[in-house]
């Protein structure tokens, strides 16, 4: 059996820009474009902090996936988690008033019966359970696996480097 290093055959790129929200003003956050070219496995991690009042929480209330052939024109969203539905997931809780750190991992099924288009984006909606006192700061990264070759990638139009590999001994 061949052994693999964690950093082999993966790429990490932005999936959600840093976003701040206040309870009562939560809304859908439009995710960043993720290029699935040569990608066989995809996990998106939402990471952040929430300031919660005592016995309050943070839920991933809804999550939709959109697909595109060109990264600009997006199809109608596919609901992965439906707002107010059974799929809502508690991702942070505080027994006493506190700022809590959280990470929520979402595995995206690329082996679906219908083949995914080249580009996707995930659009989450978070729900803070308390009135206007709770706050949220969140971002996200896409971890793409099963790549034959990992290259540094650039934003569309040759902008800033989006992903760079750094190996430390």
């Amino acid at each position: 059996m061949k052994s693999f290093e964690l950093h082999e055959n993966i790429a990490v790129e932005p999936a959600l820009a840093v976003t701040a929200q206040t309870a009562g003003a939560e809304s859908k956050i439009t995710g960043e474009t993720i290029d699935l070219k040569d990608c066989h496995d995809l996990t998106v991690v939402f990471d952040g902090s929430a300031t919660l009042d005592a016995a309050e929480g943070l839920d991933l209330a809804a999550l939709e996936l959109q697909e595109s052939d060109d990264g600009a024109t997006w199809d109608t969203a596919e609901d992965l988690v439906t707002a107010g539905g059974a799929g809502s997931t508690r991702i942070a809780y505080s027994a006493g008033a506190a700022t809590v750190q959280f990470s929520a991992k979402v595995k995206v099924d690329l082996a679906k019966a219908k083949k995914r288009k080249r580009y996707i984006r995930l659009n989450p909606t978070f729900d803070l359970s308390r009135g206007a006192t709770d706050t949220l700061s969140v971002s996200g990264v896409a971890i793409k696996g099963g790549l034959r070759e990992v290259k540094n990638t650039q934003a569309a139009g040759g902008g800033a480097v989006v992903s760079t590999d750094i190996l430390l001994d």
Side-chain angles (χ1 to χ4, degrees):
M1 174 186 249
K2 184 176 178 187
S3 171
F4 290 96
E5 298 290 329
L6 180 59
H7 68 273
E8 290 180 3
N9 301 71
I10 68 165
V12 178
E13 64 184 59
L16 187 71
V18 175
T19 304
Q21 293 189 331
T22 303
E26 303 97 331
S27 59
K28 177 176 69 178
I29 304 167
T30 301
E32 300 291 325
T33 300
I34 301 168
D35 186 349
L36 296 179
K37 183 178 181 196
D38 299 326
C39 180
H40 299 283
D41 190 36
L42 178 66
T43 298
V44 174
V45 178
F46 298 117
D47 185 63
S49 65
T51 302
L52 303 171
D53 210 353
E56 299 296 339
L58 169 68
D59 295 333
L60 177 59
L63 181 63
E64 62 183 34
L65 181 146
Q66 286 183 290
E67 296 181 275
S68 172
D69 288 318
D70 59 8
T73 305
W74 296 93
D75 291 351
T76 301
E78 171 187 340
D79 290 328
L80 302 178
V81 174
T82 305
S88 294
T89 304
R90 174 69 37 113
I91 57 176
Y93 175 80
S94 178
T99 298
V100 296
Q101 306 299 314
F102 67 88
S103 290
K105 180 174 66 171
V106 177
K107 171 81 171 104
V108 179
D109 183 6
L110 299 181
K112 261 186 97 130
K114 74 173 191 122
K115 185 174 172 5
R116 294 274 181 216
K117 293 185 177 181
R118 176 159 177 188
Y119 301 94
I120 67 165
R121 64 184 179 192
L122 293 177
N123 306 322
T125 301
F126 296 93
D127 180 36
L128 293 153
S129 61
R130 177 79 175 169
T133 58
D134 290 352
T135 59
L136 162 71
S137 178
V138 63
S139 64
V141 295
I143 304 167
K144 302 189 307 185
L147 304 172
R148 291 183 190 178
E149 181 179 2
V150 179
K151 299 178 182 176
N152 292 343
T153 57
Q154 288 190 319
V161 172
V162 174
S163 175
T164 300
D165 293 332
I166 301 171
L167 302 177
L168 303 174
D169 289 330

